[in-house]
């Protein structure tokens, strides 16, 4: 099986589904990551961007990721990119790797870049024209998802739970590679909070640890 994880920014993929990525790799699945953006130079110096990409590669080595693709759309300015341009670029990657499962950000994350990625990926994964994608799931990104709107159908409401008891430590080690992005507790983007969420999601379905997802299409 081929799996594609669509990450708006480096580290989103590990925060959202690092345990599941390792689980897929352990099962012999081919796991690819698509990073949609590159930080704009007036906010993110080139050396910081390169450091983040080095951290990403180290994290992916721990998780068993097969490869990564960078689209280099501007962050945090995806709102200035036409949705069809973004969807077409994501669609080309999907056509290249032909994944059966695609993991994407939640549509109501507080970061507008995440929202744009969600909608564009939905367009790119439409079940037409021979698209091979059979399952689309939204992951939750600590420091983005839980700060989004908590009302109506905008909240993250998990419907799929995947056990990561055996891969939780690898998820934490992979996230530790992102030293430029990690925060100290009690910040949600801390190792303690990441583990706490995994334990909570696991306890919801009587497991030691799990990652939770919202099913979009199956």
């Amino acid at each position: 099986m081929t799996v594609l994880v669509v990450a708006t920014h480096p580290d989103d993929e590990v925060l959202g589904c690092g345990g599941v990525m390792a689980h897929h790799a352990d099962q012999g699945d081919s796991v690819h990551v698509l990073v949609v953006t590159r930080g704009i130079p007036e906010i993110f110096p080139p050396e910081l961007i390169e450091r983040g990409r080095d951290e990403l590669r180290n994290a992916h080595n721990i998780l068993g990721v097969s490869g990564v693709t960078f689209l280099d759309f501007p962050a945090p300015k995806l709102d200035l990119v036409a949705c069809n341009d973004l969807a077409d670029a994501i669609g080309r990657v999907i056509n290249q790797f032909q994944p059966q499962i695609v993991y994407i950000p939640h549509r109501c994350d507080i970061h507008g870049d995440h929202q744009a990625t969600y909608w564009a990926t939905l367009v790119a994964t439409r079940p037409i024209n021979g698209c091979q994608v059979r399952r689309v799931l939204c992951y939750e990104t600590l420091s983005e998802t839980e700060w989004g709107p908590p009302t109506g159908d905008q909240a993250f409401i998990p419907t799929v739970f995947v056990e990561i008891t055996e891969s939780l430590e690898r998820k934490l080690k992979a996230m530790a590679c992102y030293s430029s992005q990690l925060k100290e507790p009690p910040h949600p983007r801390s190792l303690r909070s990441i583990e706490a969420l995994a334990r909570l999601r696991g306890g919801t379905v009587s497991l030691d640890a799990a990652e939770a997802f919202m099913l979009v299409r199956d």
Side-chain angles (χ1 to χ4, degrees), residues 7-10 13 33-38 49-50 52-54 56-57 60 67-73 89 93 97 178:
T8 310
H9 316 101
E13 77 286 2
V33 175
L34 170 60
V35 178
V36 174
T37 67
R38 178 186 181 90
I49 293 172
E50 289 309 312
R53 293 190 172 186
D54 286 342
L56 174 146
R57 294 182 184 96
H60 289 188
V68 59
T69 301
F70 298 99
L71 292 183
D72 289 341
F73 284 103
V93 176
F97 293 108
Y178 280 112

Side-chain angles (χ1 to χ4, degrees), residues 126-146:
R126 288 174 296 175
I128 58 174
N129 301 324
C131 181
Q132 294 297 308
V133 176
R134 293 294 176 264
R135 202 171 203 221
V136 181
L137 300 120
C138 289
Y139 55 80
E140 56 183 330
T141 310
L142 276 170
S143 76
E144 304 290 357
T145 307
E146 78 277 18

Side-chain angles (χ1 to χ4, degrees), residues 11 14-15 141-144 146-147 168 171-198:
D11 85 352
V14 177
L15 285 167
T141 310
L142 276 170
S143 76
E144 304 290 357
E146 78 277 18
W147 290 339
L168 176 58
K171 172 174 179 162
L172 295 174
K173 288 180 181 178
M175 192 62 210
C177 293
Y178 280 112
S179 58
S180 66
Q181 304 300 318
L182 273 180
K183 306 295 183 182
E184 292 297 320
H187 194 283
R189 203 187 308 161
S190 64
L191 294 179
R192 189 177 78 182
S193 295
I194 294 167
E195 180 175 4
L197 179 62

